[in-house]
């Protein structure tokens, strides 16, 4: 999401994401304190695509296409057992990340006019934010407090479409993963924390 912490959101912008309610007991309080997106009603999540189409462009045809594209993928389990860092960001690393990358790739292939983060980055790393815009000491504190409570395992069975009203986010639709065989995800290229320059300084 946008880096500016004031006037953070624009009415009509949308995001496709995977909610991870299983992580809320672990990261919820930390996100409320140290990730402003939590105060705007963004739950614990892994982003599939931000930004997606403007809300005014999302009609029945787009919703139907999303259902087909996302529905071709099968549900999968994901495990969060470690942390990664970007500058001023602490996040949980999902394993495997291939199915999440495959979802992003599939949506981007269908709507190439909306590349992840406006096309500003060579690669987008799947992640679940714990703290954003914080000093290193805050991230160190959160990581130390939470490490002993890992891992967290979650079932990914749908992708949600959320719309912003200018202040907070609201779910517009959910698209179940209905595939019978998991599509192969793009290969991982190494530890997320080794390439912070390739990803937005995280809002999702």
């Amino acid at each position: 999401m946008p880096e500016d912490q004031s006037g953070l959101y624009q009415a009509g912008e949308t995001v496709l994401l995977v909610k991870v309610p299983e992580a809320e007991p672990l990261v919820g309080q930390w996100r409320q304190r140290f990730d402003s997106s939590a105060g705007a009603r963004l739950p614990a999540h892994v982003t599939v695509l931000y930004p997606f189409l403007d809300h005014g462009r999302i009609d029945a045809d787009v919703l139907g296409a999303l259902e087909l594209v996302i529905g071709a993928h099968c549900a999968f389990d994901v495990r969060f057992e470690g942390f990664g860092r970007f500058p001023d960001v602490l996040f949980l690393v999902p394993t495997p990340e291939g199915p999440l990358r495959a979802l992003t790739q599939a949506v981007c292939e269908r709507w190439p006019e909306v590349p992840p983060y406006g096309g500003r980055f060579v690669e987008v790393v799947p992640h679940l934010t714990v703290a954003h815009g914080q000093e290193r000491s805050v991230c160190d504190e959160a990581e130390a407090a939470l490490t002993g409570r890992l891992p967290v395992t979650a079932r990914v069975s749908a992708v949600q479409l959320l719309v912003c009203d200018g202040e907070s986010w609201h779910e517009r639709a959910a698209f179940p993963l209905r595939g019978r065989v998991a599509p192969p995800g793009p290969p991982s290229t190494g530890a997320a924390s080794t390439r912070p320059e390739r990803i937005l300084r995280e809002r999702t």
Side-chain angles (χ1 to χ4, degrees):
M1 296 278 181
E3 296 182 40
D4 183 7
Q5 296 294 300
S6 61
L8 190 60
Y9 308 114
Q10 298 180 17
E13 65 181 350
T14 67
V15 60
L16 291 165
L17 55 77
V18 168
K19 292 182 179 180
V20 188
E22 295 91 340
E24 291 288 359
L26 179 72
V27 304
Q29 291 185 349
W30 292 92
R31 292 186 66 243
Q32 287 293 332
R33 292 171 62 192
F34 299 123
D35 180 9
S36 59
S37 73
R41 299 182 60 184
L42 273 177
H45 67 278
V46 177
T47 300
V48 173
L49 181 60
Y50 173 83
F52 187 51
L53 300 174
D54 185 86
H55 185 232
R57 294 183 57 191
I58 298 178
D59 56 15
D61 289 340
V62 170
L63 294 174
L66 280 169
E67 185 173 4
L68 290 174
V69 170
I70 293 170
H73 296 248
C74 74
F76 58 94
D77 292 323
V78 65
R79 184 178 176 91
F80 300 90
E81 54 189 359
F83 292 91
R85 300 279 183 105
F86 302 121
D88 75 7
V89 176
L90 174 70
F91 61 89
L92 292 175
V93 178
T95 303
E97 62 176 29
L100 293 162
R101 289 180 178 271
L103 285 166
T104 297
Q105 179 176 310
V107 177
C108 288
E109 287 177 352
R110 176 60 179 80
W111 288 278
E113 69 270 30
V114 283
Y117 302 105
R120 288 178 286 170
F121 305 95
V122 175
E123 182 177 11
V124 176
V125 179
H127 58 284
L128 190 158
T129 298
V130 177
H132 172 268
Q134 304 300 322
E135 298 291 336
R136 182 182 182 90
S137 59
V138 172
C139 294
D140 290 344
E141 178 188 358
E143 182 171 350
L146 297 175
T147 295
R149 298 174 61 188
L150 295 176
V152 171
T153 300
R155 182 69 173 171
V156 177
S157 58
V159 172
Q160 289 79 28
L161 171 66
L162 275 67
V163 180
C164 183
D165 63 12
E167 296 184 355
S168 60
W169 293 85
H170 308 272
E171 185 171 325
R172 165 75 186 274
F175 306 96
L177 278 62
R178 304 181 187 276
R180 296 183 179 180
V181 178
S188 173
T189 55
S193 58
T194 65
R195 49 183 191 271
E197 74 282 356
R198 293 185 177 182
I199 188 167
L200 176 65
R201 291 176 58 206
E202 225 266 322
R203 277 278 14 107
T204 58

